[in-house]
DNA sequence: CGCTAGATAGAGCGTTCGTTCTAGAGAGGT
DNA sequence: ACCTCTCTAGAACGAACGCTCTATCTAGCG
């Protein structure tokens, strides 16, 4: 048997990578759904990509595809939240920080040949009618990201209301600009968004 | 030819509505893919919703699902472009016009119980790898919308570069805010977006 | 009436879907 | 040794998928 997972083999569990089976499944799900969406991604494709068998997938995620998708969204949530946190804490000026985030997102998108858009959006879109768990996970992700931006603005002396509302627009504009950049295969929308957001934030001083 | 059904049955062609078969199919496709996405929508479901048979669907759209989706995107494109055009030409101040558009979008989204997001985004997301026609139709839709905003700004005396860049952010921010509003089931993101966009436009005077 | 072309009708193709199920492998406890 | 529990393995199921196919219907024209 290739692996009996973390408990048994310790840190070096996975066939290809050094990750446990469960983690490999989550990452494969996140990656695939980011590119192909929820409906466009099959569980068998996930199990193949993760180098795990169907049995393992349903062992770790008895809730099936929906549970898998919700977990994948939380994975993408954490990943972007960390990137956002680093960018914000590393720069005293929030306007500059947002600009840097936009540039980072643009660079990542281009590096994937315009394939890796926002994993939360891609995974949750189209599931509104029949998968409330997924919708909730997506809503929580956006909320967390907004919270990071809001706290930064609060720490910089913005009023509670201004900080909250600006956080909304910062995240939403980045989201929309990433979508457009992806479909146009051009990073300019994101760079423009960064500059405009910096300007908008600056207009509150 | 688009349809001979009108010729045959006269103005009251469709079973349910007064539309020709082809038009009913396009509208059903647009409506369903707006809610369920490209992969989440089946051709048989479309034919049932449109009160047309499978044979008719493939008669009018021999390119199959992809052709159908591209046509549906163009339908959504035209629809929003008209709404945008009306909102822009009815108001002298572009900032006020954008605010009104945001409110309109919010009202529409709420009226559909948060189900009808942007049809272009919902239909095109996740098709990047295997359906360039769809991607192109989506890119053209965004481009047209930006063009309308840009022309309005130009007519109001903005510089060519400012108008072009502002048009990008107006459309992108509305797009992102609509996504967030949909997943949060709350129109506030769109209303905030409208106010911030008005402020951003105003900051160029 | 026959002829033609556009449009409708839906059975059926092969494939893939998400999921279930049984069987067995491997490590730990006693 | 044995049992137990976790995890791996993949065959198999019914349903749905996109699409093809043949057959039929209607309208217009001679």
């Amino acid at each position: 048997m290739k692996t009996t997972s973390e408990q048994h083999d310790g840190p070096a569990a996975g066939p290809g990578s050094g990750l446990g089976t469960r983690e490999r499944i989550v990452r494969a799900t996140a990656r695939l759904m980011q590119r192909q969406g929820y409906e466009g991604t099959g569980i068998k494709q996930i199990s193949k990509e993760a180098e795990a068998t169907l049995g393992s997938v349903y062992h770790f995620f008895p809730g099936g595809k929906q549970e898998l998708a919700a977990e994948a969204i939380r994975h993408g949530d954490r990943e972007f939240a960390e990137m956002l946190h680093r960018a914000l804490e590393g720069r005293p000026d929030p306007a500059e920080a947002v600009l840097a985030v936009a540039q980072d997102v643009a660079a990542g998108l281009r590096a994937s040949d315009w394939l890796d858009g926002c994993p939360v959006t891609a995974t949750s879109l189209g599931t509104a009618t029949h998968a409330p768990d997924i919708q909730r996970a997506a809503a929580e992700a956006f909320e967390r990201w907004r919270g990071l931006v809001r706290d930064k603005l609060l720490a910089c002396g913005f009023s509670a209301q201004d900080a909250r509302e600006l956080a909304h627009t910062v995240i939403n504009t980045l989201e929309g600009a990433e979508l457009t950049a992806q479909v146009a295969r051009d990073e300019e929308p994101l760079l423009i968004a960064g500059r405009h957001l910096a300007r908008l934030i600056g207009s509150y001083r």
Side-chain angles (χ1 to χ4, degrees), chain A:
Chain A
M1 210 86 341
K2 24 189 65 171
T3 165
T4 10
S5 115
E6 298 89 324
Q7 299 181 276
H8 299 172
D9 334 15
S17 55
L19 285 70
T21 305
R22 201 195 120 101
E23 182 66 14
R24 286 204 317 281
I25 294 171
V26 170
R27 295 195 184 205
T29 306
R31 218 183 88 87
L32 290 172
M33 289 194 176
Q34 180 178 31
R35 302 191 171 205
Q36 314 172 357
Y38 176 79
E39 305 277 5
T41 303
I43 295 212
K44 283 167 187 169
Q45 186 187 13
I46 291 171
S47 84
K48 180 172 291 187
E49 181 92 359
E51 297 183 80
T53 65
L54 217 44
S56 298
V57 173
Y58 278 96
H59 169 75
F60 287 111
F61 303 94
K65 200 181 184 183
Q66 295 199 11
E67 183 181 352
L68 216 33
E71 203 58 57
I73 286 182
R74 273 174 230 120
H75 177 82
D77 172 4
R78 266 177 263 121
E79 217 166 51
F80 183 70
E82 282 168 23
M83 189 266 245
L84 190 56
H85 180 70
R86 274 195 305 272
L88 290 174
E89 80 172 350
R91 292 173 182 80
D93 179 17
E96 274 179 34
V98 168
L99 195 70
V101 170
Q103 289 166 349
D104 269 17
V105 171
L109 190 55
R110 146 169 286 175
S112 74
D113 196 30
W114 318 105
L115 287 176
D116 293 348
C118 172
V120 175
T121 303
T123 305
S124 66
L125 242 206
T127 65
T129 52
H130 59 292
D133 296 357
I134 299 178
Q135 292 285 300
R136 192 159 31 78
E140 287 170 358
F142 292 144
E143 208 173 343
R144 156 136 40 148
W145 302 347
R146 282 196 303 266
L148 291 173
V149 175
R150 185 203 54 211
D151 290 348
K152 174 69 175 182
L153 291 170
L154 282 176
C156 291
F158 284 74
S159 81
Q161 183 183 341
D162 288 349
R164 203 183 75 88
E165 297 192 348
L166 277 171
H168 262 91
T169 295
V170 165
I171 298 300
N172 291 339
T173 298
L174 288 177
E175 197 71 45
E178 184 172 24
L179 257 165
T180 299
Q182 193 176 3
V183 82
R185 304 176 61 87
D186 178 8
E187 58 192 334
E188 202 195 4
L190 271 164
L191 302 183
I192 294 174
R195 291 200 300 270
H196 278 157
L197 287 174
R199 183 187 182 106
L200 181 66
I201 292 173
S203 82
Y204 278 81
R205 311 243 79 156

